[in-house]
Amino acid sequence: MLAHNELAGRLITDFQALPTAERNQARFVFLDPHARELYRDWSRVAADTAAMLRLDAGRHPDDPALSSLFGELSIRSKDFSRFWADAKVHRRATGTRAYHHPLMGEVTVTCQALSPVDDPDQTLFVYGTEHGSQSETSLRLLAQWTDTGGVTTQAPGAHD
């Protein structure tokens, strides 16, 4: 995980607050207990994550960082080992993610994975909601939530 915007950090987890070595979606999905509570269909997310890692492993079989990650996940997560053994391969593309956020409740987003032609190892994920949906309202409220634990009185982007 190279970067995310503030709203993504509030919805999923603040990867930027983690040590650099721990900023990894697979590590989050399989090792962070919050992920199991957050993703409404954790098993599908976990299976997709393992399948995407398998694709990366096929493209970079000698990558020491990937080997280290596989080893760590295999040792620390029985679920990772089970999904890895399925031998499925999955490319990042489009889909939906359903979350059960501790403050906002049920939030469903669409996601689109975009990879630059000149750097297929980088992926930008773009999330959105259906216009007028409860999920859109929830994300707008979450965007206004402050670190002090409340909704701001200013519109997002407004300055004193």
Side-chain angles (χ1 to χ4, degrees):
M1 179 71 61
L2 297 177
H4 61 73
N5 66 24
E6 188 174 345
L7 183 55
R10 290 178 181 186
L11 177 63
I12 302 167
T13 195
D14 188 359
F15 284 100
Q16 294 177 23
L18 299 173
T20 303
E22 295 178 21
R23 296 177 190 171
N24 181 280
Q25 179 68 17
R27 190 174 277 114
F28 173 69
V29 167
F30 288 105
L31 302 180
D32 191 322
H34 172 64
R36 289 179 185 269
E37 298 167 5
L38 180 67
Y39 292 109
R40 280 200 332 235
D41 190 357
W42 180 86
S43 291
R44 183 180 65 109
V45 172
D48 288 350
T49 300
M52 287 185 274
L53 281 175
R54 187 170 283 284
L55 177 70
D56 290 342
R59 293 179 60 233
H60 305 286
D62 299 322
D63 184 312
L66 272 176
S67 295
S68 177
L69 178 62
F70 299 145
E72 177 186 8
L73 294 176
S74 296
I75 290 168
R76 296 182 60 198
S77 172
K78 290 179 184 177
D79 289 312
F80 173 76
S81 297
R82 179 171 50 92
F83 288 117
W84 186 257
D86 288 343
K88 293 183 179 174
V89 177
H90 180 70
R91 178 177 295 283
R92 295 166 183 93
T94 63
T96 60
R97 287 283 188 251
Y99 300 97
H100 180 78
H101 191 272
L103 296 174
M104 298 297 130
E106 305 304 312
V107 177
T108 301
V109 299
T110 58
C111 60
Q112 173 91 35
L114 307 169
S115 295
V117 174
D118 61 342
D119 191 357
D121 290 330
Q122 298 295 322
T123 305
L124 172 67
F125 290 93
V126 179
Y127 292 87
T129 58
E130 185 178 326
H131 181 68
S133 68
Q134 181 60 46
S135 292
E136 179 185 44
T137 301
S138 294
L139 287 184
R140 287 187 188 281
L141 286 171
L142 189 59
Q144 294 178 28
W145 201 262
T146 67
D147 291 335
T148 58
V151 176
T152 65
T153 57
Q154 293 180 322
H159 300 285
D160 290 328

